[in-house]
Amino acid sequence: MADTTRRQYRLRGEHVHLRPLEIGDVERLHEWGRDGEYARFTGEPPRTLEQRRRRHEKLEEAADTVVQFAICRLDDDQMVGHGSLFDIDRINGSAALGIAIGPAFWSRGYGTDAVNAIVDFGFGELRLERIWLGTAADNERGQRAYRRAGFTEEVRQRRAYVDRGAHIDEILMSILRAEWTALPRRRSWDYLEGG
């Protein structure tokens, strides 16, 4: 008899698994969007629940250039964040990465674990050459997670956007396929049974 207590996921890390972001997840995103720090670091303007649903549907229509994930804990399947690869350029082999962890789940390693799984998907399944992201210069928690996942700072865009009435620098970071290959860590597929 098969062991049904161990669930298998196509994309997973040590502590989280990724699944497609669904319309039913938008309510959780809306709830998180009410948190000031969460909204600040995601760059989310205030939106109604209906606006968030329409935005999700619009992104679903752009499936050639956007892949959205719900980030869920392995132990109880609870959604703890969301991530995406967007601006996917299949000709040049690049994509941007975005990730946000719900405020109640910060500083538990879920972000780094999810970034690793998303990067594995980008290089391992989409065959990308470069994955990049932009982050606020004062988002030190995020930058630590990105560095742990192998990202390197490329450039600082000075006074790139306004936050709470002040102009803030944005840091652009990236990871190349060769850098990912050299990382001494398990890949998403290594966590699968028999891997």
Side-chain angles (χ1 to χ4, degrees), residues 47-64:
R47 287 191 170 110
T48 65
L49 180 57
E50 185 54 36
Q51 288 171 322
R52 286 184 195 282
R53 284 187 179 124
R54 283 196 307 264
R55 182 172 187 267
H56 174 77
E57 289 167 357
K58 189 177 274 189
L59 288 172
E60 284 296 303
E61 292 171 10
D64 289 344

Side-chain angles (χ1 to χ4, degrees), residues 1 25 27 34 37 66 106 114 132 134 143 148 158 162 191:
M1 188 153 126
D25 299 322
E27 287 184 32
R34 293 178 179 164
E37 285 298 294
V66 178
W106 288 348
W132 63 274
Q143 291 164 37
R148 282 192 298 268
R158 298 180 303 158
V162 176
Y191 291 101

Side-chain angles (χ1 to χ4, degrees), residues 88-95 127-130:
I88 298 171
D89 179 345
R90 295 180 191 270
I91 293 172
N92 295 302
S94 71
R127 298 184 305 271
L128 298 175
E129 177 61 24
R130 176 177 180 267

Side-chain angles (χ1 to χ4, degrees), residues 105-157:
F105 307 104
W106 288 348
S107 300
R108 297 186 191 180
Y110 298 137
T112 301
D113 201 28
V115 168
N116 285 336
I118 294 169
V119 166
D120 289 348
F121 176 79
F123 288 126
E125 297 200 29
L126 298 183
R127 298 184 305 271
L128 298 175
E129 177 61 24
R130 176 177 180 267
I131 298 174
W132 63 274
L133 59 89
T135 183
D138 61 346
N139 183 4
E140 294 172 7
R141 178 181 26 250
Q143 291 164 37
R144 283 191 301 272
Y146 304 137
R147 283 190 190 95
R148 282 192 298 268
F151 281 78
T152 302
E153 183 175 330
E154 287 188 339
V155 68
R156 177 181 290 256
Q157 294 183 316

